[in-house]
Structures are given as C-alpha cells and as structure tokens.
Amino acid sequence: WRGLLQQQPLMQAWRKGLDEGREGEIFGDAVKMSTTLASGHRSPALDRVIARPIVVRSKISGVLMAGLLKTENCDDDAERLESYALMAARALDLEVARGERAAATLSWQKYIQDSQEWLATIDEKGIIRETSSGAHSLLFAYSIATNDVRLEDLFSPVACDAVAQWREQFASAA
C-alpha cells in the first residue's frame, strides 16, 4: 500500500479524506493495479479504492483506505467499510483516552509533589501512593521504608483502628 499511495489518484483520495473530511473514491483505470504476493501469485486487480475519513472526537484522525474487487453489491462493501472505520475510530478514541488519563495522572502527581501543603494520596487499601515533600518528611520522619506503607500504620496502636475505620468510610462511599 505504501508504494501505491504515492500514485497521484490514491494520494488525492487520501488527501480528500484527511484534509477535507470527505470520502474519496477512485474507479476504473486509475486503480487497475495488481501486486505480486509473497507466494509469487499475482493478486486480482482492484476495481475501486475508497478513502474514508476516521473521525475521533469531532477531529479527523486518519483515513481508512480500502481497495475493493468488483462486486455485485456495493451496499455490502459500504456497510463493511463503515464497520471497519468505526472500529478504527474506537481504537483511536481509546488511545486518546489512555493518553489523557496518563497526562492527568502525571499532572496530579506533579501537583501533589510540588505542593507546599502536606498532601498524600492513598489507594482503596490505605497504601500511601504519593506525598508532597512536606508530608513525606512528616509521615516518614522515623521510618526507613516508604513503599507499601498503610496510612494507619503511621499512627499509634491505640489510634490505628480508628484511622482504619475512618479511611474505610471513604472507601465504602466510593
């Protein structure tokens, strides 16, 4: 495909999808090309090529290029291409969402670490995950280990159960 995309008609269809957000289609002699497969056999010549924009969050994120053989039912081809385009859009949307979550997590971690306040985040099991520098020096002043430390373990044995109960109220509310 990479070599074929360099051909002018295919490049124009791809650009139409990417730049204009419109589907491009090439018919006839403009797509009369075939390729030699790894087995040495030649693949059938394409009848048409469709370039369908892939839209993710109201933005064109790519173009689905599909080379199609001559068929009796173009509606089936269109329906199948639509499902492929939707699948590609969903995959790209998930990737964007993962990136946004990672960026939000890093931003939150940086906010906590740089804060002048005494801040700490704990997970649902009470394990301290992040702390500001002030909170870190206070919470771990007498402790060497800072990994997998539960919040309640930093309190006296008398207060430990009360802190655990207080923390569990938040975990059960979530």
Side-chain angles (χ1 to χ4, degrees):
W1 271 104
R2 179 176 252 164
L4 298 176
L5 277 177
Q6 300 305 316
Q7 296 178 8
Q8 192 61 26
L10 289 166
M11 183 64 86
Q12 288 173 341
W14 182 75
R15 279 272 164 229
K16 186 177 185 179
L18 192 63
D19 295 341
E20 300 173 21
R22 296 185 304 145
E23 187 172 290
E25 199 162 0
I26 306 166
F27 293 97
D29 291 335
V31 293
K32 293 296 182 204
M33 58 191 97
S34 62
T35 57
T36 303
L37 302 174
S39 64
H41 295 93
R42 292 188 64 75
S43 67
L46 299 176
D47 181 56
R48 60 196 169 112
V49 173
I50 296 176
R52 179 166 287 182
I54 298 172
V55 180
V56 177
R57 299 181 182 194
S58 302
K59 182 180 173 189
I60 298 169
S61 297
V63 177
L64 173 67
M65 299 288 290
L68 302 171
L69 302 173
K70 192 164 190 78
T71 181
E72 296 290 322
N73 191 346
C74 290
D75 290 339
D76 285 348
D77 289 341
E79 190 175 306
R80 201 167 47 250
L81 286 176
E82 182 64 23
S83 70
Y84 291 149
L86 288 172
M87 187 169 42
R90 178 69 177 139
L92 289 170
D93 184 54
L94 289 172
E95 189 62 30
V96 168
R98 272 192 290 275
E100 288 173 347
R101 279 193 306 274
T105 298
L106 286 175
S107 176
W108 181 247
Q109 287 172 341
K110 182 161 177 40
Y111 173 77
I112 290 171
Q113 290 169 356
D114 294 348
S115 176
Q116 298 301 311
E117 302 292 324
W118 292 351
L119 301 175
T121 60
I122 59 173
D123 66 12
E124 66 279 354
K125 296 176 185 171
I127 297 174
I128 299 171
R129 294 298 176 193
E130 287 106 18
T131 60
S132 62
S133 58
H136 185 77
S137 61
L138 174 71
L139 293 173
F140 300 109
Y142 303 106
S143 176
I144 296 173
T146 59
N147 293 337
D148 294 338
V149 174
R150 292 182 326 153
L151 179 64
E152 51 265 30
D153 293 341
L154 298 173
F155 291 84
S156 68
V158 175
C160 185
D161 289 338
V163 171
Q165 288 174 356
W166 171 81
R167 180 188 52 77
E168 287 171 1
Q169 288 175 352
F170 291 107
S172 63

